């Protein structure tokens, strides 16, 4: 780091990845611990609370102190240090990388939350263990006996698997033997119990055992999230929930005509790339941290769809380097056998390819301490509007009700309402009021 970069850090102030300290002390080590457990960061020693460069008198002594104190962290953490000379004094920069282990200082583990170091409570500690892949949720034993499984769900599994992978069901095996063969049942004492994956796939209502193992769908009128149009909590076995979510996303993904660059003819296509949305949802339910009490959530806005997944990327995995490192390997394997997953570790790449091909949508990953979110953002282009929709948009300048538009265009009200709903879903117009008082207006964005 040079002097100019240091001034830039000081001018920006402390953040989720930057901490200033006047000298090496316990708080400094807490920050190193927090950075290693979160997203990494820099601790700059020799900066006062009012962001003045005070420096350190004896940098070698401070580094020795740092070495002694950091040995109290369990397990030990690798850091890089640099001494930067500033005028007549020195500043120490301690660079901390995000670790693949969970670290503690004096028996307390910390995470970085904004500009503060936050001790991890027992529930968060279990979640962090799941983040570190130290504990695999899907193979953990439950209290559900094999007698509680659904024979219909087992039969359906083998039927779908045969269609998807060409693997025939082992007809000579009993139900309990089949569950053991699939790896979803374990012997405990003298009986058989399902593990977590067995509960999620082969019981009618897994949510009665794991309340957070569901998908929540919410639709809003705008980005403020003040007005909720629709909300549903999806339950059932994992494949059932996924199919229900697919249906909802399909209904909120209108077909438009796009005039793509380099093409003379318009192309009818969905606003959001179907396969990309599918991959994002599958990634969320397969790779989520089931120790986290939160739901997998789908947010539908006029101009984007966001899917929030409890659990950050496993350590060493990023959207740029999507290596196959499943948090729930058994769930991933079963979804592969059912044909939901085509190739291990390729979901993010397929999302990227689909979005690039469609051109009318961009996507963004946001990673936080305990969850990730992928958003598909629509780039609205009025060339995506066909002739009838253009007429509707023109008439909306003076007519705001479906009945008025129906009369002006000499078309049935249901036909007009369907068009209006498509334009609402696309974020081009907004819907105000209910029943007979329903009106439609052009969105301020367009």
């Amino acid at each position: 780091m040079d002097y100019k970069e240091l001034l830039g850090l000081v001018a920006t102030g402390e953040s989720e990845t930057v901490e200033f300290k006047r000298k090496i002390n316990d708080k400094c080590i807490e920050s190193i611990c927090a950075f290693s457990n979160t997203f990494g960061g820099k601790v700059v020693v020799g900066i006062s609370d009012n962001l003045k460069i005070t420096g350190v008198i004896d940098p070698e002594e401070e580094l020795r102190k740092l070495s002694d104190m950091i040995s109290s962290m369990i397990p030990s953490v690798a850091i890089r240090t640099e001494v930067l000379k500033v005028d007549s004094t020195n500043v120490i920069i301690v660079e901390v990388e995000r670790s693949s282990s969970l670290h503690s200082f004096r028996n307390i583990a910390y995470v970085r939350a904004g500009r503060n170091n936050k001790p991890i409570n027992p529930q968060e500690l279990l979640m962090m263990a799941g983040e570190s892949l130290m504990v695999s949720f899907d193979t953990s034993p439950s209290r559900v006996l094999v007698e509680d499984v659904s024979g219909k769900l087992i039969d359906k599994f083998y039927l779908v698997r045969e269609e998807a992978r060409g693997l025939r069901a082992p007809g000579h095996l009993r139900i309990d033997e089949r569950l053991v063969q699939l790896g979803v049942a374990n012997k405990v004492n003298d009986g058989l119990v399902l593990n977590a994956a067995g509960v999620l796939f082969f019981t009618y209502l897994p949510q009665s055992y794991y309340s957070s193992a569901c998908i929540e769908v919410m639709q809003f009128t705008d980005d403020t999230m003040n007005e909720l149009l629709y909300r549903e909590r999806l339950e059932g076995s994992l494949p059932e929930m996924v199919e229900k979510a697919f249906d909802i996303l399909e209904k909120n993904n209108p077909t438009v005509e796009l005039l793509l660059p380099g093409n003379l003819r318009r192309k009818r296509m969905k606003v959001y790339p179907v396969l990309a949305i599918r991959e994002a949802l599958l990634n969320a339910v397969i790779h989520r941290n089931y120790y986290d009490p939160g739901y997998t959530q789908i947010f539908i806005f006029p101009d984007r769809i966001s899917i929030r997944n409890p659990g950050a990327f496993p350590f060493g995995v990023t959207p740029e380097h999507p290596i196959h490192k499943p948090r729930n390997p058994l769930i991933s394997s079963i979804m592969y056998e059912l044909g939901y997953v085509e190739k291990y570790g390729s979901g993010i790449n397929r999302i990227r390819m689909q979005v690039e091909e469609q051109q009318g949508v961009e996507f963004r990953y946001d990673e936080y301490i305990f969850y990730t979110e992928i958003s598909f953002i629509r780039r609205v282009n009025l060339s995506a509007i066909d002739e009838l929709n253009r007429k509707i948009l023109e008439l909306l300048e003076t007519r705001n009700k479906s009945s008025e538009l129906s009369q002006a265009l000499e078309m049935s009200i249901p036909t007009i309402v369907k068009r209006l709903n498509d334009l609402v879903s696309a974020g081009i117009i907004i819907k105000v009021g209910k029943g007979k008082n329903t009106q439609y207006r052009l969105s301020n964005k367009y």
Side-chain angles (χ1 to χ4, degrees), residues 260 267 269 352-360:
L260 299 177
K267 182 178 180 181
M269 59 199 309
R352 185 175 287 109
M353 290 173 59
Q354 286 288 317
V355 169
E356 289 175 355
E357 182 179 321
Q358 182 127 336
Q359 300 181 32

Side-chain angles (χ1 to χ4, degrees), residues 233-263:
R233 184 171 179 260
L234 307 181
E235 297 181 334
S237 69
L238 196 56
E240 288 173 336
M241 284 194 300
V242 167
E243 292 296 339
K244 291 175 185 176
F246 284 162
D247 289 342
I248 294 172
L249 288 169
E250 177 69 15
K251 291 176 183 177
N252 287 277
N253 191 5
T255 301
V256 296
E257 289 189 356
L258 291 174
L259 185 61
L260 299 177
N263 289 273

Side-chain angles (χ1 to χ4, degrees), residues 32 36 70-79 99 101-104:
I32 292 174
S36 66
I70 209 169
S71 64
S72 300
M73 287 182 60
I74 301 176
S76 60
V77 63
I79 61 173
S99 176
S101 301
L102 184 61
H103 298 269
S104 65

Side-chain angles (χ1 to χ4, degrees), residues 155-201:
D155 292 339
K156 185 176 181 180
F157 165 80
Y158 283 109
L159 179 63
V160 174
R161 189 182 74 165
E162 183 173 354
E163 292 176 351
R165 302 298 176 198
L167 300 174
R168 306 189 74 174
H172 62 286
L173 296 180
R174 303 189 309 269
I175 285 181
D176 58 341
E177 294 174 328
R178 292 185 180 191
L179 293 171
V180 171
Q181 185 186 67
L182 291 171
V184 298
N186 305 313
K187 289 185 179 181
V188 175
N189 297 327
D190 296 327
L192 281 177
V193 298
L194 296 178
N195 57 28
V199 174
L200 293 180
F201 282 95

Side-chain angles (χ1 to χ4, degrees), residues 88-217:
S88 59
T89 188
N90 297 280
V91 170
I92 298 174
I93 298 98
V94 183
E95 189 168 351
V96 187
E97 290 189 358
R98 178 180 181 177
S99 176
S100 59
S101 301
L102 184 61
H103 298 269
S104 65
F105 173 57
R106 294 181 176 168
N107 298 319
I108 300 176
Y110 297 89
V111 292
R112 190 73 171 175
R115 296 182 296 173
N116 300 308
N117 303 320
K118 179 178 176 292
I120 302 174
N121 62 42
Q123 176 64 34
E124 291 171 329
L125 188 60
L126 182 60
M127 291 161 57
M128 290 293 287
E131 295 301 317
S132 304
L133 306 185
M134 295 166 60
V135 181
S136 177
F137 166 84
D138 55 354
T139 56
S140 62
S142 72
R143 297 181 180 179
V144 184
L145 302 176
V146 295
E147 289 81 3
D148 295 323
V149 303
S150 164
K152 290 183 179 179
L153 289 176
I154 294 175
D155 292 339
K156 185 176 181 180
F157 165 80
Y158 283 109
L159 179 63
V160 174
R161 189 182 74 165
E162 183 173 354
E163 292 176 351
R165 302 298 176 198
L167 300 174
R168 306 189 74 174
H172 62 286
L173 296 180
R174 303 189 309 269
I175 285 181
D176 58 341
E177 294 174 328
R178 292 185 180 191
L179 293 171
V180 171
Q181 185 186 67
L182 291 171
V184 298
N186 305 313
K187 289 185 179 181
V188 175
N189 297 327
D190 296 327
L192 281 177
V193 298
L194 296 178
N195 57 28
V199 174
L200 293 180
F201 282 95
F202 299 114
T203 62
Y204 273 124
L205 192 62
Q207 292 72 30
S208 60
Y209 308 103
Y210 302 110
S211 60
S212 64
C214 62
I215 301 173
E216 185 178 42
V217 184

Side-chain angles (χ1 to χ4, degrees), residues 224-239:
T224 65
M225 303 176 75
N226 289 330
E227 186 175 350
L228 184 66
L229 289 176
Y230 168 86
R231 182 176 191 169
E232 184 174 359
R233 184 171 179 260
L234 307 181
E235 297 181 334
S237 69
L238 196 56

Side-chain angles (χ1 to χ4, degrees), residues 7-25:
L7 290 180
L9 280 181
V10 173
T12 304
E14 292 183 332
S15 68
E16 198 170 37
T17 57
V18 176
E19 176 86 5
F20 299 126
K21 293 297 178 188
R22 193 181 190 98
K23 60 182 179 179
I24 300 293
N25 53 25

